[in-house]
Amino acid sequence: MLEVERLSGGQRRALKLAHDRSCSSAIFAEVEALSALYHPAVPRVDACGIDEEGRAWLVREPIDGRALDDVLAKGTTDPQLARALLDQGLDLLLYLDAQGRCHGDIKPANVLVEGEGGDLRLRVLDLGAEADVMTPMYAPPERLAEERPPRLSDDLFALAVSFWQGLSGAHPYPGFPAELPPAGAPGPEPSSAGRPASSPEGPGFAAIYDF
């Protein structure tokens, strides 16, 4: 992603360009998805097109954010702020479901956090990837075992794993996805080793871990 500046007005924008023609369909899918959605977590598209080499491009508002796992570094995030970010993520997923969509590849790299201190806002990248394969580390076992379109439950699982990993520093299922838990198996119990050292038994983090 490149940062560009409009000649008129000096507005900063983010430019996304396909590597080659074969990747253009993913760019167009993202444009279609972003243009149809109106949610605070979804960046707005300004323009799109095809360059002289046949590669698709889009220009959207920039996101000056940090990856979710960086913000949720172990022991450095206030429990209530983490819970507020989780609520924002859930609100987005429910909004997408109401629009007949899902994200399809929720993971820390695709979830950015803007702002500082107590004013944090969650933003998402790569919307429109719902036809592609999920990143295995964040996909539920049944999604990896079946060839089917993504569902809300897939996004919810991926969001929960992303927050768990960010808060604890470890994946909830060691060895996943090479060692798959059975589909429908209950979630793991958070261990004391996985909780932030600054609040090992705090009620705030207990609530956050209760996905």
Side-chain angles (χ1 to χ4, degrees):
M1 185 71 69
L2 301 176
E3 185 177 291
V4 296
E5 185 173 312
R6 281 183 172 175
L7 295 179
S8 60
Q11 294 178 316
R12 293 171 49 248
R13 287 295 181 262
L15 170 66
K16 189 171 186 178
L17 176 66
H19 293 295
D20 52 50
R21 292 184 179 183
S22 65
C23 300
S24 292
S25 60
I27 295 287
F28 288 133
E30 186 171 357
V31 170
E32 189 274 333
L34 295 180
S35 299
L37 299 172
Y38 299 90
H39 189 278
V42 178
R44 303 303 305 155
V45 172
D46 285 346
C48 64
I50 300 177
D51 70 4
E52 63 277 4
E53 297 180 18
R55 300 174 299 176
W57 56 267
L58 69 84
V59 174
R60 62 159 173 79
E61 65 171 304
I63 298 178
D64 297 319
R66 296 165 289 163
L68 178 66
D69 49 357
D70 290 337
V71 176
L72 297 179
K74 184 162 62 174
T76 64
T77 301
D78 180 271
Q80 298 309 315
L81 289 180
R83 183 59 181 265
L85 288 173
L86 177 58
D87 286 343
Q88 292 180 40
L90 293 173
D91 183 79
L92 169 66
L93 298 187
L94 292 177
Y95 169 78
L96 292 177
D97 184 60
Q99 306 303 311
R101 296 178 177 273
C102 64
H103 186 285
D105 196 23
I106 292 288
K107 57 186 177 182
N110 282 341
V111 181
L112 301 184
V113 179
E114 290 184 317
E116 296 292 340
D119 183 21
L120 299 179
R121 183 165 65 140
L122 186 141
R123 309 296 299 277
V124 293
L125 302 177
D126 286 351
L127 262 165
E130 55 189 67
D132 298 332
V133 177
M134 288 184 74
T135 301
M137 190 174 183
Y138 302 96
E142 59 271 21
R143 178 72 192 283
L144 296 176
E146 305 171 7
E147 291 187 7
R148 58 164 175 77
R151 301 170 181 166
L152 171 62
S153 58
D154 301 336
D155 281 349
L156 290 171
F157 181 93
L159 186 68
V161 171
S162 297
F163 269 83
W164 184 302
Q165 182 174 317
L167 289 167
S168 70
H171 196 282
Y173 294 102
F176 187 88
E179 301 173 10
L180 293 176
E189 291 293 330
S191 66
S192 58
R195 296 186 179 186
S198 62
S199 181
E201 299 295 337
F205 277 105
I208 292 169
Y209 277 95
D210 185 14
F211 292 112

